[in-house]
């Protein structure tokens, strides 16, 4: 069953009933001001940091799950009946309802008793405010007398403190109201020089700024007293819960539409010019007034909305494909890049599964996210790489995360996750392939942000590689440290104390537990460093890295192979993990994906064997689960992974992030059918018909889909902020469709199902636009043998870099080998 449909032309998902299985959210903003918004207008807003500069309050894990947000209310002043056009919170039976989630905006519209209301929510580019444009139409045959109320609940800035420190916070709240604009200025009197504003384009009949005055004691957002009785009480908040609500009266003729704009925004004043007049305690509003006045004008709002849409048209033009498979096309062309941009902006901070007060930016998460957005915003990717690399430790190791506001590493979730440094090499390589901007390698960056320690980024990469080499275990495999990519495989933790953090606890450190996954990642990263060194003419480093990679391959050959798949690790006692020898957790997905992706086992058949084992033992209709058999009890020596009930999260859930590694692996052994099949199982659009089972948004990937061992197989959780977005984009666009940026050109190397025919794609790359036509008869293999570039034939599948004068390059890629040839040619 579905709860809506895709509108690919408008690039929207259109939800047609409000009671989706879970709140289905979207994001507003893409620079400094952000918000999350659900299909019933729930959610919150913040400036830059979801924890430290939270504008509006949101209670997570509420009942219902999603309550509190950007609600407007309409009241029929003749009958006294009132409703929320976004369904929540009043939950009236609306005659119709749609929520259009688009790229950076949402439009919620409905009709109730002959009154249509449509609210557009978005953040104009370059501004630190959000617009709510409400259009109310009287579709009745008679005039309508209506009241419109807005509402927000302010957060007292630090969301963590706001949710805990009530003995203070109930006394500090302050607001000002001037010319109908509500200013929230809690703590402005002291060390803050920022405030929030909430404005309305219409003359007000009244306002409220004290939550209890608006809602009434013992009432909630579903029946505010102000709305029920039809007038506001002009309350001024002193302490308690500052909120904002405007009351506007509307007289509408039959057929008449009125447009009302509300603005919610964030503003700062210089620390020495906070007050007007100086010496008073009144906010100096001279800087913010012009901005407010501007965006209260309908044509300014319309232009800003159009600008937002053209920006996305431009971004989405960078990489497009028309394959004829709607699930592939709409993810590649619309939703996957959008999700990548959101993960870039948010890291893992704010979603319905991430509370905004938890984690900073992960070192490995950020590095992997970059793979999905580097083609969209290369300049911001560059900046992000410099930030991340500047937090690297002198050993080459990493803090596991850093704070976006300070850009400093923090130890809250520890360090010593031994895979972290290698990801930096992988992401810098992706940046270089996309842009060719080798100047980044010479950027002098500090270690641990310490002035005086600056060394070129190139050296940071060398130290990343050295970090692994300095930490090899008894089998010559990398020590796992606190954990590797799998945060829950904690081989040195041995935690027996309730509540102790698996992320920071290391109760025993034997220097023995090793990771086959890091070994494979190392092979990949060392290969990338060798290529980078080659480009710089540093033959010695290239040779050293290649030799280290070969040595690591040998260690994997000797100690990482279990007979029919790659082992996962060696534990604290030197015993294999992810082996047929184990009772539970015999096979893990990560080393199968990463080893084959890194090229291990391709020449001797083990890659195919490992992937066959994945298909036999781990594949389910809902994607490939992380391991089998699931752990049925807590294993002290394995850690958090065995704390989850079977089928969830790292304990045999479909941890979607890992699936694209297998897809890429399948393309490396030229099995396009298996690669695409694997992709479609976790592709949200392809799962749209399963919405009642899947439950998450059908337009974005989930971090986790419950596995076969779960009570709810196929149920998605942790949608939006997941490395799945970046890796799926890489797998589908670069390896399955095969349009892959490389240092010396654009590789055209599709590995698609045998039954596929021709398809086309467009890629902007290094300043030129490549118009690519893949000429493939159904039944052929997917290997390009010949290219025609602007009419000239080239052997092989690499389109050379454009000369500076070429703006548009026509590429025809011929796939003419019959299937049998390739099957024979591949061991
Ligand atoms: C989750 C992991 C996550 C880790 C760190 C664990 O509880 O299962 O997916 O990476 O926490 O936040
Ligand atoms: C989510 C974390 O953000 C990521 O860093 C980690 O690799 C996965 N969980 C797997 O544990």
């Amino acid at each position: 069953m579905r709860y809506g449909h895709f509108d690919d032309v408008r690039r929207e998902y259109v939800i047609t009933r409000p009671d989706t299985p879970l709140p289905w959210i979207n994001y507003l903003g893409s620079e400094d001001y952000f918000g999350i918004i659900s299909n019933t207008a729930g959610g919150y807003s913040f400036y830059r940091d979801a924890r430290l500069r939270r504008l509006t309050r949101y209670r997570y894990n509420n009942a219902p799950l999603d309550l509190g947000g950007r609600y407007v209310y309409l009241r029929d002043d003749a009958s006294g009946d009132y409703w929320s056009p976004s369904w929540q919170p009043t939950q009236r039976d609306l005659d119709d309802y749609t929520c259009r989630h688009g790229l950076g905006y949402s439009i919620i519209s409905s009709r109730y008793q002959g009154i249509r209301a449509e609210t557009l929510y978005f953040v104009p580019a370059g501004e630190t405010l959000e617009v709510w444009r409400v259009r109310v139409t009287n579709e009745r045959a008679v005039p309508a007398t209506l009241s419109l109320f807005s509402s927000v609940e302010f957060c007292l800035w630090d969301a963590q403190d706001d949710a805990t420190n009530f003995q203070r916070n109930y006394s500090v709240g302050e607001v000002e109201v001037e010319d109908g604009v509500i200013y929230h200025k809690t703590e402005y009197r002291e060390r803050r020089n920022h405030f929030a504003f909430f404005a309305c384009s219409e003359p007000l009949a009244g306002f409220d700024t004290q939550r209890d005055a608006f809602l009434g004691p013992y009432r909630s957002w579903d029946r505010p007293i102000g709305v029920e009785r039809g007038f506001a009480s002009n309350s001024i908040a002193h302490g308690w819960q500052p909120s904002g609500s405007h009351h506007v009266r509307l007289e509408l003729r039959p057929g008449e539409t009125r447009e009302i704009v509300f603005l919610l925004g964030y503003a700062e004043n210089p620390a020495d010019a906070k007050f007007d007049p100086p010496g008073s305690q009144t906010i100096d509003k001279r800087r913010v007034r012009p901005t407010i006045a501007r965006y209260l004008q309908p044509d300014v709002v319309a232009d800003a909305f159009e600008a937002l849409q053209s920006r996305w048209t431009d971004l989405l033009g960078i990489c497009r494909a028309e394959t004829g498979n709607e699930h592939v096309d709409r993810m590649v062309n619309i939703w996957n890049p959008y999700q990548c941009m959101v993960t870039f902006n948010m890291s893992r901070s704010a979603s319905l599964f991430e509370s905004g007060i938890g984690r900073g930016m992960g070192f490995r998460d950020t590095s992997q996210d970059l793979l999905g957005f580097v083609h969209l915003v290369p300049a911001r990717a560059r900046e992000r790489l410099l930030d991340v690399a500047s937090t690297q430790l002198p050993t080459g190791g990493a803090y596991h995360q850093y704070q976006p506001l300070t850009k400093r590493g923090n130890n809250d979730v520890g360090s010593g996750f031994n895979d972290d440094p290698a990801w930096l090499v992988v992401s810098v390589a992706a940046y270089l392939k996309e842009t060719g901007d080798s100047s980044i390698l010479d950027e002098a960056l500090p270690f641990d942000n310490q002035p005086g320690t600056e060394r070129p980024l190139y050296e940071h990469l060398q130290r990343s590689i050295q970090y692994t080499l300095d930490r090899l275990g008894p089998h010559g495999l990398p020590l796992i440290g606190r954990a590797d990519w799998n945060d829950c495989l904690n081989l040195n933790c041995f935690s027996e104390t309730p509540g102790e953090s698996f992320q920071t606890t290391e109760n025993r450190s034997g220097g023995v537990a090793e990771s086959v996954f890091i070994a494979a990642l190392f092979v990949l990263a060392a290969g990338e460093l060798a290529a980078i060194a080659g480009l710089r003419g540093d033959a010695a480093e290239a040779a050293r890295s290649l030799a280290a990679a070969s040595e690591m391959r040998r260690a994997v050959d000797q100690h990482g192979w279990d007979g029919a798949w790659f082992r996962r690790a060696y534990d604290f006692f030197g015993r294999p993990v992810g082996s047929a020898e184990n009772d539970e957790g015999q096979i893990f997905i990560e080393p199968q994906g990463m080893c084959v992706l890194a090229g291990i086992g391709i020449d001797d058949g083990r890659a195919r064997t490992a992937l066959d084992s994945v298909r036999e033992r781990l594949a389910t209709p809902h994607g490939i689960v992380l391991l089998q058999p699931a752990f049925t009890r807590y294993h002290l020596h394995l850690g958090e992974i065995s704390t989850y009930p079977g089928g969830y999260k790292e304990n045999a859930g479909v941890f979607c992030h890992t699936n694209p590694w297998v897809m890429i692996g399948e393309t490396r052994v030229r099995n396009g059918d298996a690669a695409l099949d694997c992709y479609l199982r976790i592709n949200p659009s392809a799962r749209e018909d399963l919405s009642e089972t899947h439950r998450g948004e059908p337009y974005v990937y989930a971090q986790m889909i419950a596995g076969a061992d779960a009570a709810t197989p196929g149920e998605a959780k942790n949608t939006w902020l997941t490395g799945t977005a970046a890796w799926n984009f890489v797998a589908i666009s670069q390896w399955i469709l095969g349009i892959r940026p490389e240092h010396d050109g654009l590789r055209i190397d599709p590995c698609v199902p045998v039954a596929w025919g021709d398809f086309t794609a467009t890629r902007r790359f290094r300043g030129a636009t490549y118009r690519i036509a893949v000429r493939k008869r159904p039944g052929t293999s997917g290997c390009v043998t010949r290219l025609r570039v602007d009419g000239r034939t080239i052997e092989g599948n690499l389109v050379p870099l454009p000369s500076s004068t070429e703006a548009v390059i026509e590429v025809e890629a011929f796939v003419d080998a019959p299937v049998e040839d390739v099957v024979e040619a591949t061991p």
Side-chain angles (χ1 to χ4, degrees), residues 426-440:
V426 174
S427 63
V428 171
Y431 173 79
L432 290 169
K433 289 175 188 174
E434 182 66 40
T435 64
D437 166 26
S438 55
S439 74
I440 194 172

Side-chain angles (χ1 to χ4, degrees), residues 348 359 364-365 485-487 650 655 703:
R348 303 295 172 269
R359 303 196 254 173
R364 79 157 87 87
D365 291 343
W485 171 88
N486 191 329
D487 276 328
E650 280 87 343
F655 212 100
Q703 179 208 63

Side-chain angles (χ1 to χ4, degrees), residues 254-292:
E256 186 183 354
T257 298
R258 285 278 292 282
E259 187 169 299
I260 302 96
V261 176
F262 297 101
L263 302 178
L264 174 66
Y266 170 93
E268 284 176 6
N269 272 331
D272 56 359
K274 284 174 33 168
F275 302 108
D276 177 34
S280 77
Q281 289 293 297
T282 312
I283 300 175
D284 186 338
K285 306 183 184 75
R286 283 172 299 183
R287 281 171 209 83
V288 76
R289 267 190 214 116
T291 310
I292 295 178

Side-chain angles (χ1 to χ4, degrees), residues 231-462:
F231 60 89
S233 52
N234 297 343
S235 58
I236 297 289
H238 298 282
W240 296 113
Q241 298 86 11
S243 62
S245 172
H246 309 93
H247 174 205
V248 175
R249 286 194 201 281
L250 303 170
E251 302 279 341
L252 295 183
R253 294 184 309 275
E256 186 183 354
T257 298
R258 285 278 292 282
E259 187 169 299
I260 302 96
V261 176
F262 297 101
L263 302 178
L264 174 66
Y266 170 93
E268 284 176 6
N269 272 331
D272 56 359
K274 284 174 33 168
F275 302 108
D276 177 34
S280 77
Q281 289 293 297
T282 312
I283 300 175
D284 186 338
K285 306 183 184 75
R286 283 172 299 183
R287 281 171 209 83
V288 76
R289 267 190 214 116
T291 310
I292 295 178
R294 227 166 89 67
Y295 282 96
L296 288 177
Q297 301 170 53
D299 52 334
V300 174
V301 168
D303 289 351
F305 184 50
E306 213 182 290
L308 175 70
Q309 287 177 301
S310 2
R311 175 161 178 274
W312 272 106
T313 302
D314 183 47
L315 289 175
L316 297 180
I318 299 172
C319 177
R320 293 188 55 79
E322 291 82 31
T323 69
N325 181 310
E326 60 175 352
H327 308 303
V328 171
D329 290 359
R330 70 166 61 107
M331 290 312 289
V332 170
N333 297 338
I334 304 170
W335 293 98
N336 199 339
Y338 181 55
Q339 189 178 357
C340 287
M341 185 68 100
V342 169
T343 56
F344 165 69
N345 285 328
M346 297 287 129
S347 192
R348 303 295 172 269
S349 75
S351 72
L352 284 195
F353 300 86
E354 303 283 3
S355 64
I357 58 180
R359 303 196 254 173
M361 318 265 297
F363 194 95
R364 79 157 87 87
D365 291 343
T366 300
S367 303
Q368 290 171 87
D369 289 346
L370 189 130
L371 307 177
F373 69 75
V374 62
H375 67 295
L376 296 175
V377 281
R380 292 176 75 192
R382 187 183 208 274
E383 202 181 304
R384 187 64 60 86
L385 281 172
L386 303 184
D387 289 347
V388 175
S390 302
T391 70
Q392 190 177 26
L393 299 165
T395 55
Y399 289 102
H400 198 42
Q401 55 175 231
Y402 73 99
Q403 289 313 114
L405 219 54
T406 62
K407 299 189 174 177
R408 295 293 159 114
N410 80 40
N411 258 331
D412 290 355
V413 294
S415 62
F417 294 81
N418 281 349
D419 64 315
D420 271 330
W423 293 112
L424 181 65
V425 183
V426 174
S427 63
V428 171
Y431 173 79
L432 290 169
K433 289 175 188 174
E434 182 66 40
T435 64
D437 166 26
S438 55
S439 74
I440 194 172
L441 296 168
D442 298 314
E443 288 281 350
L445 306 172
F447 289 94
D448 197 6
N449 291 103
Q450 294 307 313
T453 61
E454 290 79 4
R455 301 296 304 155
L457 175 61
Y458 182 59
E459 185 173 325
H460 283 252
L461 304 186
Q462 291 174 304

Side-chain angles (χ1 to χ4, degrees), residues 54 79 105-106 118-119 217 242 305 323 337 346 397 405 433 482 555 597 611-612 667 670 718 721 768 786 795 815:
R54 185 80 67 96
S79 67
Y105 67 90
S106 293
E118 176 195 280
T119 311
F305 184 50
T323 69
M346 297 287 129
L405 219 54
K433 289 175 188 174
R482 213 177 283 288
L597 187 161
L611 294 172
D612 288 345
T667 68
R670 309 282 342 156
N718 295 18
L721 303 184
R786 186 162 59 87
E795 289 307 310
V815 177

